[in-house]
Amino acid sequence: LPLQPIRWLPIPDATFYEVKVVTLDGAAVTAPSTNETELLLSTDAVTAGSTYYVTVVAHLSGNRTIRSEPVKFRVAEVR
């Protein structure tokens, strides 16, 4: 699959979301922003067979943020 969806529940009053994907050791992979509650992650950005963490940061008015807990995911091997 060239694109992998990442979805989350909406946060009231969020102006946009920042989606941070990091490797197991914390190295940044990508951190795009979106106004939607779904991001299509390019599989070119990740490696098959590898494990990553994703965190979604909701940006609210007044320079406030709400951050999700990191969620672990693994990219399937291509068969």
Side-chain angles (χ1 to χ4, degrees):
L1 294 172
L3 297 173
Q4 176 61 49
I6 298 173
R7 297 181 184 97
W8 56 93
L9 296 174
I11 300 293
D13 302 323
T15 55
F16 70 96
Y17 301 93
E18 185 179 8
V19 185
K20 298 181 178 186
V21 177
V22 299
T23 62
L24 277 174
D25 61 6
V29 174
T30 187
S33 295
T34 181
N35 294 323
E36 306 299 325
T37 55
E38 177 181 83
L39 175 78
L40 296 176
L41 178 65
S42 170
T43 53
D44 292 342
V46 292
T47 304
S50 296
T51 300
Y52 299 89
Y53 288 93
V54 60
T55 302
V56 177
V57 181
H59 290 260
L60 303 128
S61 62
N63 208 21
R64 296 174 300 133
T65 59
I66 297 174
R67 178 182 304 266
S68 73
E69 291 296 319
V71 175
K72 185 177 179 178
F73 71 97
R74 182 174 172 83
V75 180
E77 298 277 357
V78 178
R79 295 181 185 238

